Every structure is written in C-alpha cells, then in structure tokens.
Amino acid sequence: MTGEFVNFHKYSNKFPRLPFFTSFIKSNLVGIIFLKLLIIYTPSINQATANSGLRKQHRDDFVRATNSVLTFAIKSCDDLPNFLSSRLFFLLHRSPIHQSSRRIISTIMASSFQSLFPAIRTVTISYSELQDRSVDLSMKIEEGFGRKGLGILSVTDVPGFPSLRQDLLRLSSRLAKLPEDVKKELEDPHSRYNFGWSHGKEKLESGKPDLLKGSFYANPILDTPTTDTSLIQRYPSYCGSNIWPSRELPELELAFKALGKLILDVGLMLAYHCDQYAAKMMKVHEDEGLEKILLNSRCHKGRLLYYFPAQQSTCSEDTDNLSSWCGWHTDHGSLTGLTCAMFTRDGVEIPSPDNAAGLYIRTRAEEIVKVCYGENDIAYQIGETTEILSRGYLCATPHCVRAPNGKEAFNLERSTFALFMQPDWDQKLNFPEEVHIHKEIIPTNCALTFGEYSEKLLDKYYHLKS
C-alpha cells in the first residue's frame, strides 16, 4: 500500500490531468464535497500516520503521498467553470482547514486568483436620473438590487462628491497617527466602540484581534440623538453621542459630516426609487417605505476606516485569505453607502497596486465575484432589514474585502468611508408572515422596533460566538 502511494507521489507531476476526475468534480456538487473533504482531512490522515507504528521512512512517504494526492486533485480542477470554482473557494475558506492544506491551496491558486472570480462593474444610475422622481428606474433597481442582482449599485456624477471624498479620506491617516493617549480619549467602550475611535476591538476570521485597521464612528446628522438616559443605556450604539478630536484634528468633524450628509441625501433619492420598484411587487404603506423609514431615523452611522501600512512584504495567514481585510458579512441595516477606497504610499495617492484586492460579493447562486465601481461613484448596498421588509424583492448579499498581497502590500495605506443608513430605534418594523432571514428571532406576523430587532440579533450573534 505504502509503495503504491510512493509511486504515485514520484510520478504524479508527470501525469496528465485525468479527464474522469475533472468530469467528476464538474458533474455535480458531490465532486465539490469530495474535494473539500480531501482538503480538510488530508492533515488528519497525515497526523494519524505520524502517530502510527509505521517506520519513519514509510510514515514520511505516506505523508508526502497524501499531500501529492491533494495537490494533484486541485491542479486537476483548475479549469473548472467560474461557477464551481468560486463556490469551491468559498466553501474552503469557511471550512476548518489545516494550515498546511491552506498553504497548498494558496500556492496553487494564487497565480489564477483573478481568473477564479470575474470582475463585474456595478449597475450605475446617474445623479440626474435619480433626482427625477418621474423617471422609472425599476429595471436598474431590479438589475442591481433584485433577486438576481449583486445587492449593490452605484450612483455617478454626484455634484461635490469627489472633493468631499478626498477631504475626508485624507484625514484618516492623520487621525490614526494621533498620540495613543489622545485616541484613548476618543474611545467609547459603553457603545461597544460604536462611537469614536476603535482599533483592535474586532476580530479577524482567524480569531485574532484585527490590528490591520482602525475605525472612527460618528453620526453625521446628529451629535446627540437623544438625552434620554434609559434609551442611551438600552441602545448605546445608536443613542450615544459623537466624540470629536476638536483640539487635535478639528477639520475632521466638518469633513465627516459633509460627506455623510451627502451620501444620506443621495441614498434617500435612491430609496424613493426602491419603493417605486417594490410597490409593483407588493403593497407598500406610505409610512413603511424605505425612503420614509430612513428620513425619520436619528441613528445613521458613518465609519471612517484606515488600514495601517504592512511593514513586511511577506503575507501572513490572515492577509492570504479572500476576506483578509474584512470578513464575510451581510449588513443588517437598511442601506449602506460606500466610497471607493483611497490608496497611499509615503503620503502619495496611488492606484490600487493589486487588481485582485477589493470588494467581493457572494450571489444567491453561490458565485463569488469581484465588484468594481468608479472612484467618483457612490456605491449602495442593500441591508438585511430592507430585504426582510421588501419580502425579498430587494436583496442583501454577503460580502468581504480582500487585501493586496505580496510585495505590492508593503507600506501601503488604505482609507475608505461607509455610511450605514438604518431605521430609528423606535421605528416599528412590520415583518411579513414568512421570512427567510433570522427566522428563529422574528415571531410570526409580528412587529418589532428596530432597536428590539437589533437586540435580538446581538443576542443571537454573541450566543453563537460564545
């Protein structure tokens, strides 16, 4: 038995790709599962062999052989159609794969990374189209936000946006480089660090503290949404007050609020057209439309992100993953506005040095795609709350962010901004009879406030993490 494996190891690199193996993987999901199990359990087989009574030479031969089978299997499948390739990659990165297997996968797939995930341009709507409430944008809304869409679209030609984006993003590095004692004063543990400065409080998918980026959170519309102490105690991440570095970086407040308000105003225009589209599919009460919900909210939240420059060109396990900069997640609010990221090195703005870096989305068909939009566009993503209330006609999609890799990442800084538009904590959400997201926390045919719904989500999240 050992001799057969040794012979396979010795000659596997000379074998042509086996048509039956590739056909088996391509034919159905059983093949995908087979390869997934092979990748997951190869290290376990190797470990069991190492602890067995076999002679050392035979143990080493067996380990080399099983790793060769793994390598050969993946190489045999590197011409899979994108649909299966991206599904496989997603399954692998969510699996408890041993580090040695992950290294093998990364080595083999690195050169063909971009071919695995197609780059797709978002559906675009011009600002002038969006302004006109008489224009029917249903086709574009459906293409971007509908059941077959990516859950994202972008708005072009927004007056004043390019300069406001530049003004704020250029401040992120200055904020991150403030003295540690100053940044400590900007932290708000009571709000779970959802106001002010936050660094190292979140965790990467590996379980390690996220030291790759720092965040600054603030409400761009209201500095103090409420003075009711009971509400502040109950909903600290929504009802807390902004914390600004007024002495050390006074220009941050003005730039943050200006960009945040503009993204909200454009988002409200987009929300109107989303309501018009949804009204063709279902009955939408006037006070329950997305536009009205967002217009009445006091708890929109902006997040300025700064990604610290990597001090080494070699890649760690965390930066090697598809979700290396931001893990897979779906926004739970209503609508998220995003700027295109700004990259700098030594204080000089540069284009992204790695075409594979950026935003990735997983579609309803389990396909992973890289999403692109213009530097001067505002991108908008649907959140889970909107998907639930629209009965699934407007769809939220899981997404992640991949960091630049290799020597291109050395000393690279990245800055970006997101505005999370969400209902007011007191906003009553009338959930439909049937929901397909978070069924276990939403009572049948009931109404919850957004604050109550968020509490249930937090309870679910922390229960699962504990």
Side-chain angles (χ1 to χ4, degrees), residues 446-463:
C446 81
L448 295 171
T449 66
F450 180 69
E452 292 168 340
Y453 170 61
S454 297
E455 282 184 316
K456 288 178 176 288
L457 279 181
L458 281 173
D459 289 343
K460 172 187 174 182
Y461 175 79
Y462 284 110
H463 172 69

Side-chain angles (χ1 to χ4, degrees), residues 147-164:
R147 289 175 173 170
K148 295 183 179 180
L150 297 177
I152 187 172
L153 57 75
S154 58
V155 180
T156 64
D157 305 316
V158 178
F161 172 73
S163 60
L164 292 181

Side-chain angles (χ1 to χ4, degrees), residues 15-67:
F15 287 171
R17 290 182 182 136
L18 298 181
F20 77 86
F21 189 89
T22 305
S23 298
F24 170 66
I25 297 295
K26 286 182 178 180
S27 62
N28 52 48
L29 192 56
V30 175
I32 295 289
I33 294 171
F34 166 76
L35 186 53
K36 177 185 175 184
L37 292 174
L38 179 63
I39 290 167
I40 292 173
Y41 289 110
T42 292
S44 298
I45 295 171
N46 292 344
Q47 186 62 46
T49 304
N51 295 333
S52 69
L54 291 173
R55 286 189 301 173
K56 184 178 186 305
Q57 181 181 351
H58 289 169
R59 291 202 306 267
D60 292 344
D61 286 343
F62 191 89
V63 168
R64 284 196 298 269
T66 53
N67 283 335

Side-chain angles (χ1 to χ4, degrees), residues 175-217:
L175 174 65
K177 292 170 185 174
L178 289 175
E180 291 302 319
D181 60 328
V182 172
K183 288 187 289 187
K184 190 74 175 175
E185 290 297 315
L186 298 174
E187 292 181 348
D188 183 13
H190 178 64
S191 69
R192 297 191 183 97
Y193 299 92
N194 275 280
F195 282 96
W197 176 251
S198 174
H199 180 224
K201 309 305 178 185
E202 301 176 30
K203 289 186 177 180
L204 297 166
E205 289 181 340
S206 64
K208 300 175 184 177
D210 183 1
L211 301 175
L212 302 174
K213 62 179 176 285
S215 299
F216 184 85
Y217 295 92

Side-chain angles (χ1 to χ4, degrees), residues 8 12 17-18 21-22 25 31 34-36 38-39 42 65-80 88 104 108-109:
F8 180 82
S12 63
R17 290 182 182 136
L18 298 181
F21 189 89
T22 305
I25 297 295
F34 166 76
L35 186 53
K36 177 185 175 184
L38 179 63
I39 290 167
T42 292
T66 53
N67 283 335
S68 293
V69 173
L70 171 62
T71 302
F72 176 70
I74 299 173
K75 281 184 176 178
S76 297
C77 303
D78 66 3
D79 63 342
L80 289 174
L88 170 64
I104 294 172
I108 295 171
M109 290 185 161

